[in-house]
Each structure stands twice: as structure tokens, then as C-alpha cells.
Amino acid sequence: MSQRQLNLAGGHSIPYTLKVSANRRTIGLRVDASGLTVHIPQRIPQHTVESLLQDKSDWITRKLAEWQDRPQVFEWRDGATLQHLGQDILLSLRQDAKSRAVEFDGTRLYVALPRPDDTATVQRKVAQWYIKQARADFTRRIELLAAKLGVPTPPVYLSSARTRWGSCNSKGEIRLHWRLIQAPPHIIHYVVAHELAHLKEMNHSPKFWAWVEKLCPDFKLARQELKALSAQLHLV
Ligand SMILES: [Zn+2]
């Protein structure tokens, strides 16, 4: 699986996920809430994929627009698919006399409570679990990248600001949105790199972007992917 980018005439570009599978014979396109996914057989040259995507670009653009316009609501039911670090995880919802601590085995998230149809409580329990994961994951990434940048590890806070994924204030405090923990690791990496680079440059000047690039060479693609992913990350 890899992240690619389709460049269209007029400077517009569409990020997509490329998945190679051994038992496919044809190229398949799928557009859903997570954007465009292209399934290809093994040993297909990239230019063949590119020209097919160019041919289908009107269809792709229309489908992506349809998804973006769709009013989406997450269904908190047993078997629902959640995201954690870009991986699908299954919500396992069951009734229990007591409200239990949420458990995760790598593929399933177990939520047990007296009333599994009480959506607000289920949502709160899952959010608390995400927040715990986010705190651990973001702290580790900040430490690693701060060392790489040669700055002291700044204090990190979690946020739930609706409009931004991360911020860095003049005191050098970094805030990251807990919902980012649903995103693939390279996207989180980009947001962390972006906020840390503000410790060097408190603006979005070319100097600033040079620091970002140092920490995250694929930052342009990651930024676009994050944009495409934003609505989905806010769903849960
Ligand atoms: Zn910024």
C-alpha cells in the first residue's frame, strides 16, 4: 500500500492510495469516505495506472464531490468500523451489568456497558480511549522529532478545536487534536513536524517550510491527504 498523487491539468491534484494485490487481473477504483483507492494487479507499470486515472478523472472528481457533500453520521453499533493510526478496527459492543474499561486487542475495540444503545455513553467511552492513545503516541513523536530538530521537548496538550489539527503558541506550547490518532502515522508525523517547526519559525515563511521538510520530506502530500481526511476524522 502506498500514497500517490494524481496531477490533473490546471494544477489540481488528487491524493490516492495504491494497493497491489497478487490475485487481481484488472485495475479497480474505489471512492469512499477515505478518498480514492486504486487496486492493481502485480507488475502494472505506473504510467498505465496514471493514464487510466487521467481518463477517469471526471468520474473520480464527481465521486469525491458526492462524498464530501454527503451529510455523514457515524453509527455507533456493534461491528462498526473505527480507525486507529489509519487501520480499520472493529467496535465490539456488548451489554454488561457493569460499565467496563475499554479494551483493545489490536483489531477490535471492546466496549461493555449496561446500555449498549446509549450512543452518547458509547461515544464518550471510545473518545476517552482515543484520548489516552493520542496522549501516548503524540508525546513519543514530539520527543523523537524535537530531538531531531535539536530543540528541547515542548509541553504537549490535547485539543478538540474544531478548525485546526495542531497549534503552537508564543510560549512554545503545542496542541494537537486527539482525533488525529485515527489518521495514518505519516499524517500525524506531518502535523507534529509542522507544529515543532514553529519553534524555529513562528510563521509560514519559506524558512518555516524548509524546517518542516527536514522533518517530513513528504509534507506536501501529507498536507493534502489530511485535508481530504478531515471530515472523516471529525465523524467519530
Ligand atoms: Zn502552522
Side-chain angles (χ1 to χ4, degrees):
M1 186 175 119
S2 64
Q3 299 299 324
R4 300 288 171 92
Q5 180 166 264
L6 174 66
N7 295 311
L8 301 175
H12 187 57
S13 62
I14 298 171
Y16 65 94
T17 306
L18 190 68
K19 285 187 177 167
V20 184
S21 46
N23 43 23
R24 270 200 88 92
R25 292 183 172 275
T26 55
I27 299 179
L29 306 183
R30 200 188 71 203
V31 173
D32 60 19
S34 57
L36 171 64
T37 308
V38 182
H39 296 269
I40 60 165
Q42 278 176 323
R43 286 183 288 276
I44 287 273
Q46 179 64 18
H47 66 84
T48 308
V49 178
E50 282 282 328
S51 71
L52 177 105
L53 292 180
Q54 292 289 352
D55 288 349
K56 299 263 181 194
S57 64
D58 284 349
W59 178 86
I60 295 167
T61 310
R62 200 176 65 238
K63 285 286 165 191
L64 285 170
E66 279 174 20
W67 268 103
Q68 268 166 8
D69 295 345
R70 194 173 297 200
Q72 293 179 29
V73 195
F74 186 80
E75 273 186 74
W76 292 93
R77 52 169 180 78
D78 182 50
T81 306
L82 294 161
Q83 294 278 313
H84 175 244
L85 295 171
Q87 303 286 328
D88 285 354
I89 60 174
L90 286 183
L91 176 64
S92 174
L93 205 52
R94 67 178 176 84
Q95 205 269 330
D96 195 296
K98 277 191 197 153
S99 183
R100 306 267 171 197
V102 173
E103 281 176 39
F104 181 52
D105 69 4
T107 53
R108 277 173 186 272
L109 193 68
Y110 298 91
V111 179
L113 70 173
R115 291 210 26 216
D117 60 343
D118 173 4
T119 300
T121 306
V122 174
Q123 191 167 4
R124 200 184 62 237
K125 283 176 82 86
V126 172
Q128 280 166 353
W129 178 78
Y130 272 132
I131 286 168
K132 206 171 145 196
Q133 309 306 309
R135 186 163 288 129
D137 183 277
F138 300 169
T139 304
R140 190 175 48 85
R141 276 178 217 279
I142 291 267
E143 279 169 7
L144 284 171
L145 288 185
K148 217 171 161 184
L149 197 64
V151 295
T153 303
V156 182
Y157 303 94
L158 295 183
S159 88
S160 51
R162 181 84 210 176
T163 51
R164 49 195 359 197
W165 292 111
S167 64
C168 177
N169 65 18
S170 55
K171 284 185 270 178
E173 299 165 341
I174 287 178
R175 283 179 172 71
L176 298 168
H177 200 305
W178 62 266
R179 285 190 164 91
L180 261 185
I181 193 66
Q182 299 168 92
H186 68 282
I187 304 282
I188 303 174
H189 180 99
Y190 158 68
V191 178
V192 169
H194 181 122
E195 300 314 330
L196 277 174
H198 278 313
L199 297 178
K200 293 280 193 185
E201 292 287 330
M202 259 306 173
N203 49 49
H204 292 114
S205 63
K207 260 186 174 168
F208 164 80
W209 289 111
W211 284 113
V212 176
E213 192 168 18
K214 225 170 226 178
L215 297 174
C216 180
D218 284 334
F219 76 95
K220 281 185 187 150
L221 193 50
R223 194 164 54 149
Q224 280 189 335
E225 282 179 57
L226 177 58
K227 238 182 180 175
L229 207 64
S230 280
Q232 198 199 340
L233 297 181
H234 277 299
L235 218 53
V236 164

